[in-house]
Amino acid sequence: MDTSSMSQPNFDLSKLSDYDKRDLQQQIGNEMQKAKIQESIHNLTDICWTKCITGGISAGKLSSKEETCTQNCVERFLEANTAVLKHLEMMRGEMG
């Protein structure tokens, strides 16, 4: 299919009401947050898989060692993210 023949809709954002502009900003913010969460999950999966899954997965299950490692990896990842977020919130509070 020739994408050059497909036209993108032209939106004049200046014609939006203040309410619609705020709503659009909120929706964009929500989508950006979802993208950040998806990126974090991808990073978590990549890090923990590389660290913990050392062999082939037999019978569709992780070994007990791999399962324990994965659980610990996820917990440490979440704890680290929580600590960073708390620190950033504290810094933001000191600046405000």
Side-chain angles (χ1 to χ4, degrees), residues 3 20 25 29-30 41 64:
T3 57
D20 288 337
Q25 287 177 329
N30 291 345
I41 291 170
S64 62

Side-chain angles (χ1 to χ4, degrees), residues 80-94:
N81 279 334
T82 300
V84 168
L85 289 174
K86 284 182 181 179
H87 182 71
L88 290 174
E89 286 176 9
M90 184 180 70
M91 289 174 57
R92 188 179 308 153
E94 291 175 358

Side-chain angles (χ1 to χ4, degrees), residues 74-84:
V74 169
E75 287 174 10
R76 298 298 86 75
F77 187 88
L78 294 175
E79 287 172 359
N81 279 334
T82 300
V84 168

Side-chain angles (χ1 to χ4, degrees), residues 3-91:
T3 57
S4 63
S5 65
M6 296 172 57
S7 63
Q8 292 252 339
N10 230 351
F11 295 109
D12 186 358
L13 298 178
S14 65
K15 293 182 180 180
L16 291 175
S17 69
D18 287 342
Y19 174 81
D20 288 337
K21 287 177 186 175
R22 284 191 303 272
D23 187 51
L24 181 58
Q25 287 177 329
Q26 181 66 42
Q27 289 179 25
I28 290 170
N30 291 345
E31 290 300 317
M32 290 173 66
Q33 286 179 338
K34 284 197 292 188
K36 286 180 183 180
I37 290 169
Q38 288 174 331
E39 182 181 1
S40 291
I41 291 170
H42 175 75
N43 289 338
L44 168 67
T45 302
D46 196 36
I47 290 167
C48 293
W49 182 273
T50 301
K51 179 179 179 174
C52 298
I53 311 304
T54 56
I57 299 175
S58 60
K61 295 172 91 175
L62 299 176
S63 70
S64 62
K65 181 180 175 183
E66 290 170 332
E67 190 172 333
T68 301
C69 178
T70 304
Q71 287 174 344
N72 289 334
C73 182
V74 169
E75 287 174 10
R76 298 298 86 75
F77 187 88
L78 294 175
E79 287 172 359
N81 279 334
T82 300
V84 168
L85 289 174
K86 284 182 181 179
H87 182 71
L88 290 174
E89 286 176 9
M90 184 180 70
M91 289 174 57

